[in-house]
């Protein structure tokens, strides 16, 4: 498995292209509102994007999904508990920033609903969906168990956790999700977050100040 991180847009949100060198069909985990850049990286790598997995409905993670889906004929997956965010990208961005920053604000009309606990087979990978409410109600992390790689979205960062002060957020729910759906993973599991550098479960378990009482 090869993973290429693409920090994009004003929030430096990580979009991740995940693929095997052999078949060149990629999964995109999160689609920041800079689909042009994401598409250029994909073409430079010689891959097409077969599926887009959205960890949650915040604009910095979904804004590029519409153009990516149209350009590559991709399926886009997101949890319906975040429909109140996902289906209103422009209103959400305006409320969040007090303006509309340059970027893409298109979401496909057809979205595939994620379910907690399901396993998706995409681009030759088995992907376990773990719903982790707290940052948003429908937030999901994606665990590639055979590759011991965990895409944590805005649930877990290197040295921090996701904010819970936005609509639908809950600190209690985030910590419960962390204890039962994230820290149940083995220490060696690689963590690729929605913002910032990668880490491991073991490193965060031992050093992340937000996790010490869990």
């Amino acid at each position: 498995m090869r993973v290429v991180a693409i920090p994009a847009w004003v929030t430096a949100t990580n979009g991740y292209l995940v693929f095997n060198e052999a078949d060149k069909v990629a999964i995109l985990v999160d689609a920041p509102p800079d689909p042009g850049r994401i598409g250029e990286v994909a073409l430079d790598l010689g891959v097409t994007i077969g599926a887009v997995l959205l960890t949650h409905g915040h604009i910095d993670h979904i804004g590029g999904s519409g153009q990516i889906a149209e350009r590559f004929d991709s399926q886009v997956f997101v949890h319906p508990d975040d429909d109140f965010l996902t289906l209103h990208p422009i209103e959400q961005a305006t409320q969040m920033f007090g303006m509309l920053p340059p970027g893409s604000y298109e979401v496909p009309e057809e979205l595939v609903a994620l379910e907690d606990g399901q396993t998706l087979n995409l681009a030759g990978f088995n992907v376990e969906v773990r719903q982790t409410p707290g940052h948003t109600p429908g937030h999901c992390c994606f665990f590639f168990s055979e590759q011991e790689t965990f895409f944590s979205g805005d649930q877990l960062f290197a040295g921090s956790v996701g904010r819970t002060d936005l609509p639908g957020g809950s600190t209690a729910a985030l910590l419960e999700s962390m204890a039962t759906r994230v820290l149940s993973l083995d220490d060696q599991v690689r963590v690729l977050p929605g913002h910032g550098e990668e880490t491991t479960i073991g490193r965060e378990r031992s050093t992340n100040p937000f996790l010490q009482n869990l």
Side-chain angles (χ1 to χ4, degrees), residues 64-74 76 106 108:
S65 61
Q67 289 191 31
I68 291 293
E70 182 176 1
R71 181 172 181 178
F72 293 94
D73 193 25
S74 315
V76 178
E106 298 179 24

Side-chain angles (χ1 to χ4, degrees), residues 11-196:
T11 50
T13 300
N14 290 323
Y16 293 100
L17 288 170
V18 186
F19 59 97
N20 286 318
E21 294 284 1
D23 54 27
K24 297 294 188 178
V25 177
I27 300 168
L28 175 65
V29 179
D30 283 335
D34 192 349
R37 182 180 176 197
I38 294 169
E40 288 173 5
V41 172
L43 292 180
D44 287 344
L45 292 167
V47 302
T48 187
I49 298 173
V52 181
L53 297 177
L54 302 176
T55 56
H56 62 293
H58 282 156
I59 187 60
D60 58 319
H61 293 255
I62 68 168
S65 61
Q67 289 191 31
I68 291 293
E70 182 176 1
R71 181 172 181 178
F72 293 94
D73 193 25
S74 315
Q75 284 188 302
V76 178
F77 298 76
V78 67
H79 199 286
D81 285 356
D82 272 9
D83 280 355
F84 74 103
L85 296 167
T86 309
L87 303 182
H88 305 282
I90 293 178
E91 296 91 330
Q92 181 197 155
T94 303
Q95 293 171 2
M96 188 177 295
F97 293 97
M99 56 173 289
L100 199 62
S104 175
Y105 299 93
E106 298 179 24
V107 176
E109 290 186 7
E110 293 187 12
L111 297 166
V112 183
L114 293 171
E115 298 179 11
D116 178 45
Q118 73 182 132
T119 298
L120 303 170
N121 185 271
L122 300 170
F125 297 103
N126 292 316
V127 185
E128 180 188 336
V129 178
R130 294 193 174 201
Q131 186 178 3
T132 52
H135 181 63
T136 67
H139 190 286
C140 291
C141 299
F142 304 113
F143 183 39
F144 290 60
S145 57
E146 294 165 28
Q147 292 78 24
E148 297 189 313
T149 300
F150 187 69
F151 292 87
S152 63
D154 285 3
Q155 169 75 14
L156 176 63
F157 305 119
S160 189
V161 298
R163 61 188 295 185
T164 57
D165 59 330
L166 297 173
S170 166
T171 299
L174 184 139
L175 294 177
E176 174 67 16
S177 297
M178 196 76 74
T180 60
R181 309 294 287 151
V182 180
L183 294 182
S184 57
L185 297 170
D186 293 335
D187 283 351
Q188 71 270 18
V189 169
R190 180 186 187 191
V191 177
L192 298 171
H195 303 269

